[in-house]
Structures are given as structure tokens and as C-alpha cells.
Amino acid sequence: MRLFKFIAINLFFYALLKAPGLLAGKPIPSSVITMYMFFIVVTVLLVMTITDEGANELFAPLRSLLEDPSRSLARNILFVLLPIGAALSVYYSAAEPAPPFELRSAHPAPPGAVRAYGKAYELDGLENPLRPLEREDPAAFKEMVREGGEVYFRNCLFCHGAKLDGRGHYAHAMDPLPMPFTGSDTIAQLKESYLFWRIVRGGPGLPREGGPNISAMPAWEDELTEEEVWKVILFIYDYTGNRPRSWKD
Amino acid sequence: MPLPMKKGPPGNALSSPALIIGILFLAASALFPSESYGSAYAPAPLLGPGDYPSVKGLSPRLAVWLAAQMHVWFAAFVLAVPIFVVILEFIGVVKKDARYDRVAYEFLRVSITAFSLTAITGGMLLGALIVFYPGLMRYLASIFGPTAIFYALFFLLETAALYTYYYGWKRMAEGRSKLLHLAVGLGLNISGTGLMFVANAWVTFMMTPSGVDGAGVFSGNLWEAVNNHLWSPMNLHRFIANIAYGGSIVGAYAAYRFLGASNEEERAHYDWMGYTASLIAIGALLPLPFAGYWLTAEIYAFSQQMGITLMGGVFAWLFIIQAVIIGALFLAANYYLWCGFGRGAYGDAYIKYVKYIALVVAASFLVWFTPHTLILTPSEARAIGGQYHPYLGPLGLMPAKNTAVNMMLLFTFLSFILYRRAHRRPVAAWVKYWNALQAGLFTAAVANISFLGVYYGYFTNTVYKVASSVPQVATTLFVIVACLVIEWLMGRGGKREDFKWGRMPERSQYALILIAVSFTWLMGLMGFVRSAIRQHWHVYSIMKDASAEAFTPSIAYAAKVVSTGTIVFLAIVVFIFWLGGMGQGSEAGKDG
Amino acid sequence: MGRFARAAAFSLFIIGLYTFYSVFVIPPINPGEPPSESAASGGPATIEELLALGEEVYNGKGACSLCHTRDGGRAPALDDSALAAKARFSAPGYSGKAADVESYLYESLVDPSAYVVPGYGVSGTDDRVSPMPGVRESSIGLNDTEIRAVIAYLQSISGAEITVALPGEGAGE
């Protein structure tokens, strides 16, 4: 039966998408599953209706169910079950009110200029003033990184963690969780000027889409000097083996 | 050059609004720039809310938005159609196949009414801008005044060339005059493209101004203002996209006529026309991402803030929508090809491979629109432990998406190869080896693209991430070219049966309609974001928008506007086609 | 008409799907409002807007009203500041460069120690050093438009003539 095959294939993919949540405890978000399943069903439908014979065979059981006079009993049962099913699904989705989705852009667009330390910084052309040392004077650069490490372990460690993985002592009390710097999807995607902005302004300086009222990141402008900020930026890139994003080379 | 419209062949009434608009442009160009000539240039004016006239119950921005969008849709269509009309006519001359000539003429006939509508909507846009944004227009005119003369010139040239080309088609059909006719067609395209380039300069200046200082004082070097960061990439991007768009609209027209065809011959004709048009559309769609990539890179080069606003900030989700629509386009194109297997004598043998191709295309599609920042319920966020999913997270990044796009291209191409095989049976001695070579190439390409994506995307520095997309694309292009060459070698002397045009299920025609509708909608959406990343600026970082509607609208609002525009536009197009079809009957009825 | 209706319905369905997805499925992020007049390079276009901005800065971002209170706080009351200004910059202890009311007020905001009203200096400095932070410094961080707006506001609450030029009119630069 082609119709059963159609249903079976779709169920198979649905099970595949559900598996990480059931087996590994890392569920694929329901919003993603919905989108995935929509296109999976469409694709399977397309593949099964390439030829006229295939299309007819696929829809034949449905057509006969709806049109065949001899199957009026099955038809009537279906027409009773469908609304009951719809009602049940609405009931269960409403019975357990789910908290609203979290919509937060982790890396919102930066402003054109940032005001800090009594100066205005144009983020566009802003480079780490210590970065050239890497080429010009590796020994001094190493020293800067070490000092940046000191800044990190005095200030940032508690949330962002000893391994820079976003799992500091306090991290588990926070929502959203502190950003990890390891991996390739946080600082590796950003320019150093972006980090400078995030560090000196902290949570309160985030644009609206970044959820400024839920981030616990302090504005470090009052605690760290400008040079310390640049040093700690050197350190977190160096420690995690990431390179700042650059559009030049 | 004799203008046939003087004698008044049927339909020339359409040309009069176009001429009037052309003269209007000339007048406008004479009026505006005069105030700045000779004197020093003034900085960009600081406007207040009082500088914008308000009309009760009418949103100026919405009016300008819709007028601009209508104009761009019509313009894209009428700029594109002559491009492939000339190409088809040329192929027809070279191949001495009258079928190409006929379909080229029908393409042109379909689009002719749209020319005057382009001019009318352009006039409406200009009027709306002058009425609602006088301050901005005065400033732009003080810089770009002289270019309006070029604009008017190109416009008159295009109009003259168009009517000569269209009305002279039958008269200039033989020998020498056919070549002259082709030359007129070339002139039509050059003037049309020139027209677009001039208009693009104004638009791109508003996004990435150059030739002016921080206060907006014009240096006097007009070329510098014209040739700003985005001008060249935008010219290229619009040029290619127009071709894709024109192809898709003509494809939808053919699909619609196919569905209503009264006899087999007509069915066959419109089937062929739909196939040719959609091939043009998809063919032009393939290089579009690379032009888009250049455009984006230039936006980043001009301003990181603008770049992140575009890709990472408020509009990040817009690119998910774009991915969904382009994925839908690919699925539809593949479906159309798969259904086309039935046209060939040997097509049935290949249907069993379709499900595997579909699996790869769909999987790539899913990867492509997987967002980096997921929508999570709090309980899901807790279980995953952050914003980024351990399995889905890597799929949200560019390397995964580049890989997916290349896979999608490659397997769509495979569909195309199988489609070609549906009516060819190679008999060359080395068929087995050629086949093996092709299979080997494909396997190597898939392995190479995956390796490049995974290794350079996730195990090296960011600098290489973007760079890794280049060898991926190179791999894809190489395989496509190599396989086409092999196909050609294999096909020589092979058995070849003609396609049975018209042997297509009606379902497949809806794929063509979907392609046209999706293109239209997507163009509107991407046009919105292109304009929206200026945020509250008229001219980015130079001249602020001080009107009440300076705020950036949300994607949801934009989607509603675009949908409304799409429906109105398509309704007008349907009306034009209906007008065009009246009395003409079908050209194909006679000759199939 | 059957095929037309079907093609039209199909097209509308597709457009509807895209719209539904964009409006209801993706997260509804509203882009932020354009930055207020004060933050951008532009600025208020009328005197009324200038005064409104000045009042807003005075009570908000500028944090002026924290200290400058009516009932004798840590700083002199400002409700006659523009009228008292002339006496200030002609006073013997005055060490600044101001020659008119507007420039005096500007100087007092940007460089508070240029002239300290007797009795309000940091103790032990003989009224030479003001406890007030300069408004350009990071803790307050007013830009020029905002400073001028505050001056206009001070002139207005003193009942004096408003001499501040609107930004973009060229004066005062």
C-alpha cells in the first residue's frame, strides 16, 4: 500500500528527529522539528507523485474512503474521529501552559560608536592596539597575554569558567548561561572591537534584541582599564586557539 | 532609423505614456541640478519632522515602498526578457530552427505591455518621492543631477529600440535585415542595462555614500559618487537576478497556457516554452549566491555595523526565510525535472534514483535553513545548556550552509543529467567507462566538498572559513563542466529520440507557478532588507531620516507589505497576459 | 474559469504560507527605535524640542537635579542661573574665558572648576575645585547637542532670553 508507505517513511524521519531528545537528553527543539517535518512530508509527497500512476495509487485509498458508497461506515467513523482528535490535541496543548519561547540574539548588531573611558570609539575601524605586537615583538606579546590571563582569572573566571567554557562557579545560577569562548561559534565569529564593546558596556549596553535586561554581564568600564580590556581580549583568543574575525586578510 | 510607431500599428497607444515619462525625466533633470551648479556644495541638510508633508490617512513610506517595489518588479521583468529574447533569436539564426524565433517573439509579446507599466510605476515612484521626501530628493539631485540626463537618454534609446525591435520583427525577418534586427535587440539590451546602472547608482549611494565628506558635502567628483562600494556588485546582482526573474515569469505564463491548452500541439508548444524559460531561470539562479556574496562582503567592508545588522542582528531571521524559499525553489525545480523524465523514451528507468536525489536535496535544504540561534522553550534551553545545540549548532554556521548549497547544486545537476539521459541512449564503445568516470567524479566531488566544509569550517581559523567556500564552489563548477563534456562525448553517435513535449502531468506545471510566485515574493523581501539596513538614515551615516516613519519595520510587517505587493503585481501581470492573449489566440496553434 | 481559479488559489496559498511563516513562526523581533535626537548627529529641529531635550537630560541622563536642588543641597540652585551668570563671570575670582551667558554656562558644565560659586567648592580647596564632574566625562557623557539643550533649558527656567542656536544653524561652533 503506497499510502502506508508514505506514512511509514514520514514516521521514520520523525522518530529520527526525536531520537536525540529521548536517547541522549539533548532534544531537538520543537520549533525546528516542526519545520523539518513540514519539508520532509512535502518532499516525500513530491517524490511519490512524480508519475501519474504513482499519484493515483497514493491517493486511491483516500479517494475511495471519501467517495466509495460501500465504505460509508468507515467514512462516518473518520468524520467523528477527526474532530475529536483535533479537540484532544488542542486540549492537551492548552492544559499544560508552556512558558513563552526565549527570543534572544546572542550577538546583536553593535552600535557605530561606543562611548567609554571618556572617549568615543568608532567600532568600525577599531583594532586591538596590542595585536600588532604579535608580529612585531612576540616576547612582549606573550607577556601581554599572560597579563591578560591575570585579568581574566581575577574578574571573568567566576562566570566564564577556568577553561573559558562558560561554566564558572556562578554559571549554573544564570539564565542565559555565560558565553563560552571555546568552540568556533562565539568569539571566532567576531572582531576584537565587538568584544571590546561587549566587555566595556556589558549587559546594560546590549540592544533590545539582545535582551539587555536578562544578561548579568557587568559593564567592566568601571573596573578595568582600557589596556586591561585589550589584554584580556588577547588572552581569551590565545587560550582558546581562536583568531579574531577579520575581513581583510 | 525609421520609427514604425509613427505609422501607428496596433498597440502603439502604449508608447505614449512611456514617452511622456521620458520627457518628464528630462524636465526634472533640467529643473533640479541648476541650483548647485557653479556654487560650492552644501552639506546634507538636517531635516525635522516638519520637512515631510503629511497626508491624512496615507503613509508616505508605504506609498513610496509599494511604488518602488512595483517599479522594480516590472523593470526586472522587462529588462530580463529582451536579454534572453535576443539570445533565443540568435540561437534560432545559428541553428536555423524557426521554433526559437517563434518562442522569442512570444516572450517579447508577453512582456511588451509591461514596458509602459514600468515607465508608469517609475513615474509614480518619482512623483511620490518628490512629494513626500523633497529634502532627500533635493540633496540627491544636487549630486546626481547630471546623471538624470543619461537616464533620460538611455530611456529614449531603449524605447526607440524596443518598438523598432518588436514591430520590426516580422518585417526584418530575412537575410541582412535579420542581422540588423539582432543588432537593434542588442542595442535595446545595452540601453536597458545602462538605464538600470544609472538608477542603481542613486540607490547604492544612499547605502554606501562616497564622494562626500562626513557632513555630506559633495566633492564634485560625480564618478566617485556613482562608483561607490555597492554599485558594481549591485549591478551584477540585479542583472543576473533579473534574468532569473524574467525566466520564471515567462515559465509561469507558459505553465498557465499549458494547463488551458486546447489541443496536443498547443500543449507541446507551451510545455517546451515552460521548460526553456525555467531552464533560463534556474540557470541564472545558480550564480546568484556568488554575486550576493560579493554584495554582502562589500557591505561589511563599508561598515561592520551595517553588515551585522544585515546578517546577525534583527534581520538574521530574514535569511532563514530566504533559505526556506530558495530551498522551495530548488525542490520545485527538481520536481519539474523528475516529472520531465516521462517526456523521454528511456525516462522510466531513472525514476528509481529520484528518491536518493530527493534525500540529499532535502537534507541539504534542512541544513541550509537551520538557524544558528534556535527558538527554545525554557525547558529545552535547560536540557541543551545554552543557546547552541550540540548537534544542530554546527549546522547553523556558514561552512555547513556552504556545503549544503553545493550539495544541493550538485544533485540538482544530477537530476538534470538523468533528465537528459531520458531521451538519449549512448552507444559509444566506452560507455561503461564514461559512466564510471562520471560516478567517480561525483563521489570525489561530494567527498571533497564535505571535507572542505568540515575541516576548514570547524577545525581551523576563521580566516579560512569564508575562504573554504571558494574551493567548494570550484569543485561544484568543475564537476558540472566535466560531466557536461563527458555527456557530450558519450552522446555522439548515440541513439536519440525526440522528447515527447506535452507529456507532462499537470501537477508539474504548478512547480513553475511556484517558482514565479516565490521569486516575486523573495525579490520583495530581499529588496526590503537591502533598504532596511540603512535603518533610520536616508543616506547612510550622512543624512538622517527625521520623518515619523524613520523606524525600521519588523520582518512581520515587511512580509505583509510584500505579500500585498506580490498579489497586486501578479494580478496586474495576469491582466496584461489576458489582454495580450485576447484576439491573438495562440501562435502555436498554427505551427506547434 | 476552473484552471484560473486553481492557479490563483495555488499562488495565494504559497504567498499565504510565506506570510504565515514570516509573521507567526519566526521570532517577532522588533528593531529598536531610531536613537533619540540627542544621540545622533542630527538633533532637535525647533526650540521646543531643544527645551524638551534639555529638560530630559537635566533630570535624566545628566543627573543634574540630584545635587542642584532648591532647598540648598550640595550645589547651588539653578533656577536663576542664567540671570546670575553675568555677575559670576565678572567676579574677581573668575579665572575662565567666558564673555557671555551662554559661554559661561557652557564652561561651567564642561569645566566646573573654572569658577566655583563661593561656598560650594570641595572643602579645603578654598573654593577653587568644584565637586561637580564635567558633563563630558564618561560618568555623564553628554554630547554637544545635549549640553546646548541643557543651557537652553537653564535659560528658559531662569526666564532669560534663549540664545542657544539650533544644531545645524551653524552658530556657536
Side-chain angles (χ1 to χ4, degrees):
Chain A
M1 277 289 274
R2 222 168 147 81
L3 186 62
F4 284 128
K5 204 168 146 195
F6 174 78
I7 294 168
I9 292 172
N10 284 317
L11 280 179
F12 168 75
F13 284 114
Y14 185 67
L16 207 62
L17 290 175
K18 276 289 187 191
L22 297 173
L23 303 178
K26 302 279 180 198
I28 293 179
S30 55
S31 59
V32 176
I33 292 191
T34 313
M35 276 308 288
Y36 278 9
M37 280 317 294
F38 178 82
F39 282 102
I40 287 171
V41 171
V42 168
T43 310
V44 175
L45 188 68
L46 290 183
V47 171
M48 295 186 83
T49 59
I50 293 170
T51 58
D52 280 333
E53 304 82 63
N56 287 337
E57 201 183 325
L58 178 62
F59 294 120
L62 283 180
R63 195 169 294 139
S64 87
L65 184 65
L66 293 183
E67 292 171 356
D68 192 345
S70 66
R71 303 183 68 177
S72 62
L73 181 66
R75 183 156 58 232
N76 289 338
I77 292 175
L78 179 78
F79 284 172
V80 171
L81 285 183
L82 271 183
I84 290 179
L88 281 180
S89 94
V90 170
Y91 175 79
Y92 282 114
S93 66
E96 263 183 80
F101 284 102
E102 276 198 38
L103 308 167
R104 182 171 175 270
S105 175
H107 295 133
V114 170
R115 188 163 278 284
Y117 302 112
K119 288 181 278 183
Y121 296 86
E122 291 281 339
L123 284 186
D124 253 353
L126 185 63
E127 300 288 339
N128 190 339
L130 306 175
R131 180 63 66 185
L133 286 178
E134 190 173 14
R135 246 188 326 224
E136 291 158 11
D137 188 353
F141 181 75
K142 232 173 162 183
E143 178 58 21
M144 288 294 160
V145 171
R146 198 192 59 73
E147 286 173 22
E150 264 174 36
V151 174
Y152 182 88
F153 286 107
R154 288 215 184 101
N155 299 287
C156 320
L157 158 84
F158 309 104
C159 302
H160 292 284
K163 293 179 186 161
L164 281 65
D165 54 359
R167 296 299 159 97
H169 322 12
Y170 298 155
H172 299 284
M174 290 182 182
D175 193 3
L177 292 167
M179 275 289 161
F181 303 130
T182 46
S184 58
D185 51 3
T186 57
I187 57 171
Q189 302 286 327
L190 302 166
K191 284 167 80 165
E192 287 180 295
S193 58
Y194 191 99
L195 270 73
F196 181 78
W197 167 54
R198 291 312 328 125
I199 294 169
V200 297
R201 300 316 292 259
L206 280 164
R208 198 160 80 185
E209 72 258 30
N213 49 346
I214 57 171
S215 167
M217 174 90 170
W220 288 99
E221 184 187 354
D222 306 327
E223 311 290 329
L224 301 177
T225 65
E226 191 185 343
E227 198 189 353
E228 282 173 328
V229 172
W230 287 121
K231 279 187 206 163
V232 83
I233 291 175
L234 289 185
F235 169 74
I236 60 178
Y237 276 107
D238 186 79
Y239 187 93
T240 55
N242 282 315
R243 299 287 309 165
R245 184 158 209 168
S246 162
W247 291 94
K248 290 204 183 82
D249 40 6
Chain B
M1 190 183 308
L3 289 180
M5 65 179 111
K6 269 190 200 151
K7 283 165 65 185
N12 84 328
L14 300 173
S15 66
S16 50
L19 271 180
I20 290 167
I21 303 290
I23 291 161
L24 265 183
F25 269 116
L26 263 182
S29 69
L31 265 177
F32 271 118
S34 53
E35 59 195 79
S36 61
Y37 271 4
S39 59
Y41 292 97
L46 263 174
L47 302 178
D51 292 316
Y52 299 84
S54 63
V55 180
K56 241 192 148 83
L58 180 75
S59 155
R61 179 169 72 181
L62 196 58
V64 169
W65 185 349
L66 283 174
Q69 193 57 66
M70 289 294 157
H71 179 59
V72 167
W73 273 324
F74 278 115
F77 180 50
V78 301
L79 287 179
V81 169
I83 294 174
F84 51 80
V85 163
V86 169
I87 295 173
L88 284 174
E89 191 188 4
F90 181 72
I91 295 175
V93 169
V94 171
K95 280 193 165 180
K96 296 195 182 2
D97 185 344
R99 202 162 50 149
Y100 286 98
D101 203 75
R102 211 157 47 231
V103 87
Y105 184 68
E106 192 169 359
F107 279 168
L108 195 61
R109 203 190 73 208
V110 163
S111 68
I112 197 90
T113 318
F115 275 92
S116 14
L117 274 162
T118 309
I120 292 168
T121 49
M124 280 162 55
L125 172 61
L126 184 68
L129 279 172
I130 290 176
V131 170
F132 294 125
Y133 295 93
L136 170 67
M137 290 309 278
R138 222 170 288 134
Y139 177 63
L140 286 182
S142 74
I143 295 173
F144 287 100
T147 60
I149 293 164
F150 285 96
Y151 192 86
L153 197 71
F154 279 130
F155 188 85
L156 291 177
L157 271 178
E158 194 197 7
T159 313
L162 170 69
Y163 287 101
T164 316
Y165 189 61
Y166 178 59
Y167 291 110
W169 195 291
K170 296 275 150 86
R171 226 171 290 174
M172 299 160 81
E174 300 299 327
R176 276 257 178 90
S177 63
K178 185 69 179 171
L179 292 182
L180 182 67
H181 189 248
L182 270 174
V184 172
L186 197 65
L188 166 63
N189 279 309
I190 290 171
S191 49
T193 308
L195 197 65
M196 181 183 77
F197 284 6
V198 175
N200 283 354
W202 309 335
V203 176
T204 52
F205 175 82
M206 289 169 69
M207 296 182 67
T208 57
S210 63
V212 290
D213 67 9
V217 179
F218 181 40
S219 69
N221 184 345
L222 184 59
W223 172 246
E224 212 182 308
V226 168
N227 188 23
N228 57 60
H229 268 82
L230 289 191
W231 189 54
S232 301
M234 179 112 136
N235 284 343
L236 181 71
H237 193 274
R238 280 195 163 167
F239 180 76
I240 299 175
N242 285 351
I243 298 178
Y245 186 57
S248 76
I249 293 283
V250 175
Y253 167 80
Y256 182 65
R257 297 297 297 260
F258 177 95
L259 292 176
S262 52
N263 57 44
E264 278 306 309
E265 278 174 318
E266 210 177 315
R267 239 170 112 89
H269 174 75
Y270 285 113
D271 190 19
W272 186 73
M273 183 172 176
Y275 170 74
T276 313
S278 61
L279 203 64
I280 292 170
I282 300 299
L285 180 65
L286 301 186
L288 205 52
F290 310 120
Y293 180 73
W294 185 23
L295 192 66
T296 316
E298 286 292 329
I299 289 176
Y300 267 101
F302 179 79
S303 156
Q304 177 186 234
Q305 188 194 14
M306 208 188 215
I308 295 190
T309 303
L310 176 68
M311 300 298 296
V314 189
F315 296 118
W317 280 92
L318 190 132
F319 287 86
I320 301 296
I321 303 175
Q322 186 206 24
V324 166
I325 294 176
I326 294 192
L329 284 175
F330 269 101
L331 270 184
N334 273 295
Y335 184 63
Y336 186 73
L337 283 174
W338 299 333
C339 288
F341 287 180
R343 286 187 194 128
Y346 315 115
D348 289 347
Y350 296 110
I351 285 182
K352 60 176 177 288
Y353 300 118
V354 163
K355 46 183 173 290
Y356 305 110
I357 297 178
L359 186 70
V360 177
V361 172
S364 306
F365 180 21
L366 298 188
V367 169
W368 204 28
F369 74 73
T370 302
H372 188 205
T373 308
L374 301 164
I375 312 177
L376 302 170
T377 60
S379 62
E380 284 166 351
R382 275 285 135 192
I384 294 165
Q387 281 275 312
Y388 301 116
H389 196 277
Y391 310 138
L392 295 180
L395 300 185
L397 293 178
M398 273 326 272
K401 303 200 185 289
N402 287 336
T403 309
V405 168
N406 280 289
M407 291 289 179
M408 221 142 88
L409 289 180
L410 213 54
F411 280 81
T412 305
F413 176 70
L414 186 62
S415 290
F416 179 69
I417 289 277
L418 294 184
Y419 170 77
R420 282 186 90 247
R421 295 256 180 113
H423 77 144
R424 284 179 172 83
R425 177 143 292 175
V427 291
W430 300 86
V431 167
K432 241 190 232 163
Y433 301 100
W434 285 128
N435 271 336
L437 183 61
Q438 273 185 333
L441 270 175
F442 250 91
T443 317
V446 168
N448 192 30
I449 290 171
S450 321
F451 169 76
L452 286 169
V454 173
Y455 178 73
Y456 284 107
Y458 299 101
F459 297 101
T460 55
N461 295 323
T462 7
V463 182
Y464 299 111
K465 269 182 194 162
V466 176
S468 75
S469 67
V470 177
Q472 283 184 327
V473 172
T475 311
T476 307
L477 290 181
F478 172 74
V479 169
I480 289 179
V481 172
C483 282
L484 281 178
V485 170
I486 293 172
E487 278 295 296
W488 176 71
L489 289 172
M490 279 167 78
R492 279 189 311 176
K495 233 166 69 183
R496 189 174 153 171
E497 317 241 337
D498 278 341
F499 275 130
K500 292 196 178 54
W501 293 107
R503 215 170 79 174
M504 273 299 254
E506 294 204 345
R507 288 184 306 281
S508 64
Q509 302 302 310
Y510 287 96
L512 295 184
I513 294 176
L514 180 135
I515 289 175
V517 172
S518 304
F519 258 127
T520 311
W521 204 85
L522 186 59
M523 262 176 79
L525 189 74
M526 299 319 282
F528 155 71
V529 73
R530 197 227 3 98
S531 189
I533 54 172
R534 273 183 294 140
Q535 297 183 299
H536 52 279
W537 299 94
H538 282 319
V539 179
Y540 192 70
S541 74
I542 300 273
M543 185 176 178
K544 246 186 87 183
D545 184 349
S547 67
E549 296 178 296
F551 65 93
T552 311
S554 67
I555 295 175
Y557 175 77
K560 288 178 206 163
V561 174
V562 170
S563 295
T564 313
T566 307
I567 292 169
V568 173
F569 171 75
L570 290 177
I572 296 175
V573 168
V574 166
F575 181 66
I576 298 175
F577 286 170
W578 178 71
L579 276 184
M582 259 176 33
Q584 297 264 16
S586 156
E587 292 270 322
K590 291 170 262 169
D591 39 48
Chain C
M1 254 347 238
R3 84 192 143 103
F4 176 76
R6 248 190 296 166
F10 178 74
S11 305
L12 286 176
F13 174 69
I14 297 293
I15 295 171
L17 265 188
Y18 293 155
T19 315
F20 177 81
Y21 183 64
S22 312
V23 175
F24 296 109
V25 178
I26 65 158
I29 300 175
N30 280 310
E33 293 289 311
S36 65
E37 296 296 331
S38 55
S41 64
T46 62
I47 292 292
E48 286 69 35
E49 284 176 40
L50 191 71
L51 292 178
L53 173 65
E55 184 172 3
E56 189 189 318
V57 173
Y58 183 87
N59 294 310
K61 183 179 174 188
C64 315
S65 53
L66 282 182
C67 303
H68 293 278
T69 47
R70 280 281 300 150
D71 41 348
R74 283 178 290 169
L78 296 175
D79 48 7
D80 62 346
S81 53
L83 299 175
K86 194 161 175 24
R88 301 271 166 78
F89 62 76
S90 353
Y94 179 66
S95 60
K97 292 180 229 112
D100 59 32
V101 174
E102 187 182 337
S103 59
Y104 170 76
L105 290 174
Y106 189 87
E107 187 180 76
S108 315
L109 283 160
V110 173
D111 180 14
S113 298
Y115 175 78
V116 183
V117 178
Y120 288 101
V122 176
S123 55
T125 61
D126 194 18
D127 288 342
R128 290 205 173 276
V129 179
S130 168
M132 174 174 150
V135 296
R136 275 189 184 285
E137 284 164 31
S138 67
S139 54
I140 295 183
L142 301 190
N143 65 27
D144 223 54
T145 308
E146 289 164 333
I147 294 173
R148 288 186 193 288
V150 170
I151 295 171
Y153 175 67
L154 291 178
Q155 287 177 329
S156 133
I157 56 173
S158 312
E161 187 198 353
I162 295 170
T163 58
V164 180
L166 288 170
E169 284 182 5
E173 291 293 321

